[in-house]
Amino acid sequence: MFKRALQAAFLFAFLVFLTYSAAPQRGAGHFAFLPYAVVAKQSPLHIGAVGGGSDPGGFNGAVSTDLSLVSGQQTMWSAANEASRSPLEGPSGSVSKLDLKAPGKARREYEKGYQLLMKKDYKGAVEHLGVAVTVYPDFVAAHNALGSAYLALGQNDQARDQFAKAVSLDDHLPTSFLNLGCAQLALKDYHAAQASVQKASSIAPLDLQLATALTYAQFMNQDYGAVLSSSHQVHSRKHAGAAIVHFYAAAAFDSQNNLEEEQSELQTLLREDPKSPAAESARQVLAQIKIEQLRREAQQKQPPVVAEAAKPAEAGPTPEQVAAQIQAQIQLAKQDANEEKQIAEADVDPPPRCADCTSLASVGGPAVPGHAALTTERSSGSTSFTLRSVVDEVAVFFSATDHGKSVTDLTREDVGIRDDLKSPVAVTGFRNEAQLPLRLGIVIDTSESVTSRFSFEQKAAIDFLQKVLTDKNDLAFVIGVANSVLLVQDFTSDQQRMAHAINQLVPAGGTALWDAVSFAADKLTNRAETQPVARILVVISDGNDNSSSATLKEAIASAERGEVFVYTVSTREANEVDDYTMVGERVLIGDRSLKVLAEHTGGAAFMPGSVTGLNRGLNELQQVIRSRYLISYKPAAFKHDGKYREIDISVQKSGHKLHVYARKGYYAGEKVAGASNF
C-alpha cells in the first residue's frame, strides 16, 4: 500500500499538467491558451468536461478543448492511449532512496494525507502531510504530495517551496522537477518553469509525456524556436499518443505568422491522431487559415489605391464584387473543412500512419564489416579512418589480455587472422587504440529483479568507473533503467558526481533495457568530437527486458550505426532458475541476450555467475577496454553474396597465447563497421 501511495503521489503533477487547455480564438492569432490559474482549479484526479461545469470536488473552471489526450471525468492513465502511457507511471520513476528510510509514524501520516488528497480533501491532506514532513524532513514523496495539495488549493508559493525541497533532497527524480515546473507555471514564472520541465525531460529523455509537457512550457515562455525543436525531436522517433506536440508547434508557427507551416503541423496532427481531443480545434483552425489565405489572395488581386481619378470599371472588380467573392470563398472553405472532418472520422480504421516518421524498425539489421575500403588519412594531426568504395576491406576491433591483465604493447607480427577459414590477402592497417580518450556510457539495471544484490552492484559500478576513467579527457554518463530510462548523470569526468548519481538509484519495476541501450548508443554517437575517441557502452544487467518499445535487434543496430562497442556484465546468480533455450548448453535467456548484444557490436560479454564475482568481472572488463586494437585487412576470395563469414583472431606474445575479445564474423556485402567517426 505504501509503495502504491508513493507512486500515485508523484503522478499528481502529470494530472495537474494534463488539465492545461487550448482553444482557437478569434483575434490576433488562432491560438489562445487558457491561464494556468483558471485551469489549475480543476480537480487533480478528474478533469472538467469540455466547455466547463462543476466537478465532484466543487471546483469550477472554464475548460475548452483538452489538448492533453484526456477529456471528461477520467483520470490521466485510464484515459490516455495505452501506447502513450509514461514509463514514469511505474514506481521506478517515482521512488526516492530517502523515502525507504521514512519512520513508521511519518509513513502513516503520509498515507492518511495521500488518501485525503485522492478524495480531494486538500486541507485535510495538508494537515497530515505537514506532520509527515515534520516527523521526517527528508520525505521526498511527502513534500511532493504536500506541494500538490497546496497547488490544488491555489497556494502556489507554498507548492513551489515544497517541490523545490523535494528537488533539493533528491535531484534524480524527473517527476519532482515536473512538479516544480507546474507550480512555476501557476506563478507565471514561465522561464523557470521551462527550465524545470527541461530538467525533468533530460533525466527521462524517452518519456513522451514529459516531452509534451516541455513543449507546453516552452510555448508559455514564448520560446517558439524551442517548441519547434522539441516537437521535431518527438516526431523523429516513435511517438504514438504524443501527436499533440504538433498542435503546440502549430501554435508556435501561428505566433510567428507562418500560416503554411502552421497548416502543415495541424494536418500532421490529424493524420497521426484523428481522434485526438485537439482534433476538432485543429480543424477549426485549419478552416480559419484557409479563410485567411483566401483573404490575402483577394487583397493581392485588388487594384492599388492611387490619388488620381478612378479607372474604368472594366479595369478590375468593384469593392462589392470583391466582398461577394470573398464571402463565396469563405463558404466553400467551410464546406471543405466539414468534408475533411467527415472523411477523417470515417477513415480511422486502420489509424493513419505517419509517413514522415523514421523509426528504428525501418533501419534494418545491424551493420557489420563489408564491401567498402578502409584507408588511413591524416587530419588535424590525428589519424582517422575513412570509408572508400574502391577495394574490399574489413576492419575489426579486438582486445587482448594475459590472465586478466591488459596487453598494450602488441605489434602487427603478434596477431594472426583468418577470415572464412582463409588467411587474408593482405593486412592493410594496425593501430593501438589504448590511449584514445574514452566516451563511456554505463547502463545500470534498476529493475525489481536485482533488488537483493543492488547495493553491491552500485558499489561495484562506482569502483569500476574510478578505475577505467584514468585520463583527464575521459568522459562518462550514467543511465538507470527500469520501466523508464533515466539519465541520472550526463557526460562528466567528475568521479564524485557519477558516484552520487549511482547511489541515488533505487531498484523497482520492470526493465526497458533495449530502449536504454538504443538511447545510450545514440547519445555516444551524436556527441561531436574533434579527435578520435573510443565509444564504449557498458551494460550491467540480468538481460531480461519486459518494458521496451525497441527490440534487441534495433538496439544492436543503434550501436553499430555509431560504431559503439557494447560490453555486458551479467548480474545473474549461476544457480538462478530460468528457461534453457539452447540444446546441450545451459544458457539462460537473459545471459544469452547480453551475449548476442555484445558479440554483434564487437564487444564482449562477462558472466561472473555471482554477486561476489561482479567485481572480478568488471575488473576484467576494465583491462579489456584499455587494451583495444584495430586491424584492417583484405579478405581472400571475397564475394558480395550476403553470406556470413567467420573471423578468427589469435594473438601470441613471446610464445604465449593471449585471450582475445573480438567480433566473431560479419555478413559479406554490408557496410564496414570499423571506421572511426569523430
Side-chain angles (χ1 to χ4, degrees), residues 260-279:
E260 288 73 19
E261 293 295 341
E262 178 183 349
Q263 184 180 48
S264 176
E265 290 291 341
L266 292 173
Q267 290 170 343
T268 301
L269 166 66
L270 294 175
R271 283 200 311 271
E272 293 182 2
D273 190 3
K275 290 186 176 181
S276 167

Side-chain angles (χ1 to χ4, degrees), residues 16 35 106 184 191 265 293 409 456 474 483:
V16 173
Q184 290 162 337
H191 179 75
E265 290 291 341
Q293 290 172 332
D409 60 347
F456 189 91
D474 293 341
N483 295 93

Side-chain angles (χ1 to χ4, degrees), residues 34 119 144 185 228 238 240 321 331 367 400 455 498 538 541 572 629 649:
L34 294 179
K119 295 176 182 178
N144 273 294
L185 283 170
L228 300 177
K238 296 177 182 178
Q321 291 173 325
Q331 292 299 323
S455 60
M498 284 184 283
V538 176
S541 172
R572 190 184 300 277
Y629 297 84
I649 296 178

